[in-house]
């Protein structure tokens, strides 16, 4: 009985250890543990380097580290920007962009990106839409309306900030122009997780046009 219980605890610990949480408290070692080594690097001048080229000793400054992994049956490109400081060999994540090979639907987020799903359905998550530019890190064309989630909890890595998750959304082959059209069948082509300034969601002087609403993720 004791052996069975001990085995159960070991399996439980392994399951917990394998469940990485997308977000700003991840470090480079966490990303490597979950997704393997980076494949390429985008430097601050916009040039792409293979991992071998990058580690050969160049003197450029890294902007983005590029990883590839499989989420179920979908290949995902993960672009990570780190808050690198001189002498820090294991920096925290500053921003992450997840780009699946093909768009998934909102109702499939838990299946393909369970760590992001946990973040956007947490008690501190506040769902909203906006017509303003929410992030500079989308690569694909975007609809006039963007779906966002602000997680109103300070990450340990950046006290005084919140986490912002931006979803590049589309309809069935069309752009979304009305927030009322966003539902479980809406397509997601990119997900960006990054820092945002803390803000009072009921401040009438707040210039950001974020329209908070009920969640579409549950």
């Amino acid at each position: 009985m004791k052996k069975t219980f001990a085995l159960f605890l070991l399996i439980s610990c392994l399951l917990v250890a394998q469940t990485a949480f997308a977000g700003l408290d991840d470090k480079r070692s966490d990303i490597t543990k979950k997704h393997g080594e980076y494949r390429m690097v985008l430097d601050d001048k916009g040039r792409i380097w293979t991992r071998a080229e990058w580690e050969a000793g160049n003197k450029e400054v890294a902007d983005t580290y590029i990883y590839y992994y499989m989420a179920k049956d979908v290949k995902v490109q993960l672009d990570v920007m780190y808050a690198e400081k001189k002498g820090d060999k294991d920096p925290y994540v500053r921003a992450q962009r997840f780009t699946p090979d093909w768009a998934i639907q909102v109702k499939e987020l838990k299946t393909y990106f369970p760590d992001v799903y946990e973040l956007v359905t947490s008690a501190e998550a506040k769902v909203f839409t906006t017509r303003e530019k929410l992030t500079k890190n989308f690569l694909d064309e975007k609809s006039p309306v963007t779906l966002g989630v602000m997680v109103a909890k300070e990450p340990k890595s950046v006290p005084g900030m919140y986490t912002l998750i931006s979803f590049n959304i589309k309809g069935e082959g069309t752009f979304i122009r009305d927030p009322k059209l966003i539902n479980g069948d809406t397509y997601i082509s990119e997900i960006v997780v990054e820092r945002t300034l803390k803000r009072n969601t009921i401040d009438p002087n707040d210039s950001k046009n974020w329209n908070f609403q009920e969640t579409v993720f549950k």
Side-chain angles (χ1 to χ4, degrees):
M1 182 68 179
K2 288 183 178 179
K3 288 184 178 179
T4 302
F5 183 67
L7 181 60
F8 172 77
L9 285 178
L10 176 61
I11 293 173
S12 298
C13 289
L14 287 173
L15 288 174
V16 171
Q18 291 169 356
T19 306
F21 203 77
L24 305 180
D25 281 331
D26 277 348
K27 303 190 82 171
R28 178 179 287 162
S29 57
D30 298 317
I31 301 295
T32 301
K33 184 182 296 183
K34 186 176 182 185
H35 301 302
E37 294 287 352
Y38 66 90
R39 304 287 187 86
M40 293 181 289
V41 171
L42 177 70
D43 70 21
D44 63 343
K45 295 182 176 65
R47 294 174 296 192
I48 291 285
W49 305 72
T50 66
R51 182 184 167 205
E53 290 171 336
W54 187 255
E55 294 182 353
N58 66 81
K59 298 180 181 179
E60 305 300 326
V61 177
D63 179 81
T64 305
Y65 291 80
I66 302 170
Y67 303 77
Y68 292 96
Y69 70 95
M70 293 299 297
K72 302 295 184 182
D73 56 337
V74 177
K75 186 177 181 181
V76 178
Q77 177 175 319
L78 170 61
D79 303 324
V80 183
M81 286 151 270
Y82 292 104
E84 294 189 277
K85 298 177 182 178
K86 189 174 182 180
D88 186 357
K89 295 182 179 179
D90 195 17
Y92 283 103
V93 167
R94 179 165 55 87
Q96 297 170 306
R97 179 176 54 240
F98 299 86
T99 308
D101 257 8
W102 62 81
I104 65 164
Q105 292 179 298
V106 167
K107 63 187 178 185
E108 298 175 317
L109 184 66
K110 185 176 182 179
T111 299
Y112 290 104
F113 298 98
D115 43 1
V116 177
Y117 178 82
E118 285 188 50
L119 201 56
V120 301
T121 57
S122 63
E124 299 83 7
K126 300 179 184 297
V127 179
F128 64 92
T129 60
T130 182
R131 295 182 184 276
E132 295 182 358
K133 184 176 181 179
L134 190 58
T135 177
K136 64 179 182 181
N137 290 316
F138 283 155
L139 294 181
D140 195 10
E141 286 187 293
K142 69 180 189 68
S143 292
V145 176
T146 300
L147 177 64
V149 178
M150 181 185 70
V151 182
K153 179 181 179 181
E154 296 182 35
K156 295 177 182 177
S157 64
V158 278
M161 304 286 278
Y162 284 160
T163 298
L164 175 68
I165 304 99
S166 306
F167 294 89
N168 194 343
I169 54 172
K170 295 180 178 64
E172 185 71 51
T174 62
F175 288 133
I176 291 180
R177 304 182 185 281
D178 186 343
K180 295 178 182 179
L181 298 176
I182 301 172
N183 54 45
D185 293 326
T186 299
Y187 285 92
I188 300 169
S189 63
E190 296 176 281
I191 306 168
V192 173
V193 181
E194 58 196 325
R195 303 171 179 181
T196 187
L197 292 172
K198 291 173 64 174
R199 60 189 298 269
N200 186 342
T201 60
I202 58 172
D203 183 354
N205 297 315
D206 197 324
S207 62
K208 283 189 172 65
N209 185 22
W210 291 6
N211 298 307
F212 288 86
Q213 62 173 60
E214 294 296 318
T215 184
V216 294
F217 297 103
K218 294 182 178 179

